[in-house]
Amino acid sequence: MWNSLRNIVNCGISLSQPYNNIINQQIRTTYILKRKHQPRLHKKNMKPKSLSHKHYLYELIKDTTVEKSQPLKLILSTNVEGLGSKGDLVEVKPSYGYNNLILLQKAVYATEENIEKYINLEKKLEDKPSSPYVPIRMACMQRMTLSVVMNKELPWTLKPWHIRVSFRKCGWEVPEKAIILPDQPISGPDLNAESKEFFITVQFSPKERQEVRCRLHHWSTHPSDRLPYVKEFWKIPAEPLIPITQKEHNSEIKL
Amino acid sequence: MISSSKKTLGLFTKPSIFEKGIGALLPEAYKNFYKEWKELEPQAVHYVPEEGKWKRNEITGQVTPIQNRPIPLIWPKEHNEQLWGGEGVVQGFQSRGKYKRRIPHFWVPVLRRSVVYSEILDKYISVIVTDRTINLINANYGFDHYLLKTPACDLKSLLALRLKRRILKELLNECPAYVKHSEKYECVLAEYKKYLTKYTAEDIEWYGYTFPEACKKMQVILDKQNEAIPLKHIYRSALIEKMKATSESDDTNNLEVSEKIPWLHKINPFGKKQETS
């Protein structure tokens, strides 16, 4: 019995070994090795003694590239969306830094000379975004069509919190104070306004504002009263809900 | 007398490559490069060298000298067209368990294609590199700095050495890749000029050649020096000069020449036979 048990245990070990090997596989490496048997010492100023086969038996000590790489310190020479603006000192992953910043000449290495050169530049720039992520978010908001779903039976007037909830439904966290509604109040339920467009403004900072295209929909809690579902409504062109705001919007675009 | 010289006393020593044939004619600049490339100890990449001169055994207290024997490396011929950053192929054995026979194994560096940018040449070069090369480029703040700072024994591959020669030549000619006196030109020149102090123009001329290449280069120079001019060219030019000289002097000495009748004209072969007695 004990023999069979030992066999099972041995089997278990042998089964687990390849599994471990797969995990510990060296992907890309500078191998650092060590001799298992040290070669014999030779006399001073004499030819070293010849190596025999056992001196070629190596043990792996370390794999340098499997280790976590140190971050690369760079100074940006242009504005990089999502990272920083010109003159910023950033720390990035070495592979990203080399392939996407250094080779494309968007950044330089943070040497002492470069830090001195770019330190004055950082102060001069005033029109840089309040955060490196703001331009990305603004571009994303410019593309989106926000669906604002309101009640079909009970009366309502559109408030910032309605917009906040609509944003949250599609995965955006926008604080209420950042949402600016159109001047003309929108109230309902009004089926004439169904699937019509209006624009709200999201304020990131005093200087940075972005208009967001919204579309009004009505919703009933009772399934039979609901309006038929329109597939991919954002691809269908819609009329403006407030013609005046639309004109203003157009004039803003022209400016 | 040191022991190694005692052993070689009275023995025939084989002449080295720089002591025979065309190798003996190679300039000192090439010999210096060759020493830097082949004889200098490269940086330890695949092993951790022990520091210090002596070490003491913790238990017995016995003192032994520290002798670092580097792990022998193999470089396939392909590596001459790539940048391995001092890495090489290690051939040896692995032990995969106490009761298992040792297994032959090759530790080969992982190669991938990437791009390097040379600021002096203002060029992007697509090459096969290892991760270590890219790390070294980052650590030296740029590809040019990496090449110019690193000695030939660590660069190892012919591609790296040729690029280094080209970069040094470009520096010596004050970066013709950029428009002169532009802002970028001044920046690049100021950044890299410090590396020129190490080399003379002759050093740069002879940097990064293999021994056969250097011999071929020397042969071309020698052939140019000892170029044989055909004798007919020499004689022709001499004759032309002589004729020019005679034509100038012809006008003045015309009368004298006419008075001097050659002795051959005096002889009349059909005249009466002269008596010899």
Side-chain angles (χ1 to χ4, degrees), chain A residues 31 33 42 56 98 103 109, chain B residues 46 67 69 93 115 124 138:
Chain A
Y31 302 101
L33 306 168
H42 58 82
Y56 291 92
Y98 183 76
L103 283 183
Y109 292 104
Chain B
H46 290 282
Q67 293 174 353
R69 292 288 295 278
F93 297 102
V115 174
Y124 288 91
N138 285 337

Side-chain angles (χ1 to χ4, degrees), chain A residues 129-146:
Chain A
S130 53
S131 153
Y133 304 107
V134 166
I136 297 174
R137 300 287 174 272
M138 279 168 78
C140 207
M141 277 191 176
Q142 200 181 13
R143 285 196 303 269
M144 77 190 298
T145 306
L146 186 69

Side-chain angles (χ1 to χ4, degrees), chain A residues 97-190:
Chain A
Y98 183 76
N99 293 329
N100 299 335
L101 300 175
I102 290 289
L103 283 183
L104 303 181
Q105 298 188 17
K106 285 180 179 174
V108 290
Y109 292 104
T111 57
E112 282 176 12
E113 298 107 52
N114 282 338
I115 289 170
E116 271 177 28
K117 193 176 160 189
Y118 281 88
I119 221 162
N120 301 324
L121 209 139
E122 201 181 359
K123 288 170 191 166
K124 278 181 200 168
L125 285 170
E126 284 173 3
D127 57 335
K128 68 175 186 182
S130 53
S131 153
Y133 304 107
V134 166
I136 297 174
R137 300 287 174 272
M138 279 168 78
C140 207
M141 277 191 176
Q142 200 181 13
R143 285 196 303 269
M144 77 190 298
T145 306
L146 186 69
S147 149
V148 182
V149 182
M150 304 302 291
N151 200 308
K152 204 182 150 197
E153 281 107 29
L154 299 173
W156 47 262
T157 310
L158 198 72
K159 292 269 169 58
W161 71 265
H162 290 117
I163 303 294
R164 196 194 79 204
V165 170
S166 309
F167 265 121
R168 206 171 61 200
K169 274 184 181 175
C170 58
W172 287 76
E173 198 67 43
V174 182
E176 256 176 71
K177 62 179 179 185
I179 296 164
I180 301 164
L181 292 179
D183 295 335
Q184 200 177 332
I186 300 164
S187 56
D190 181 10

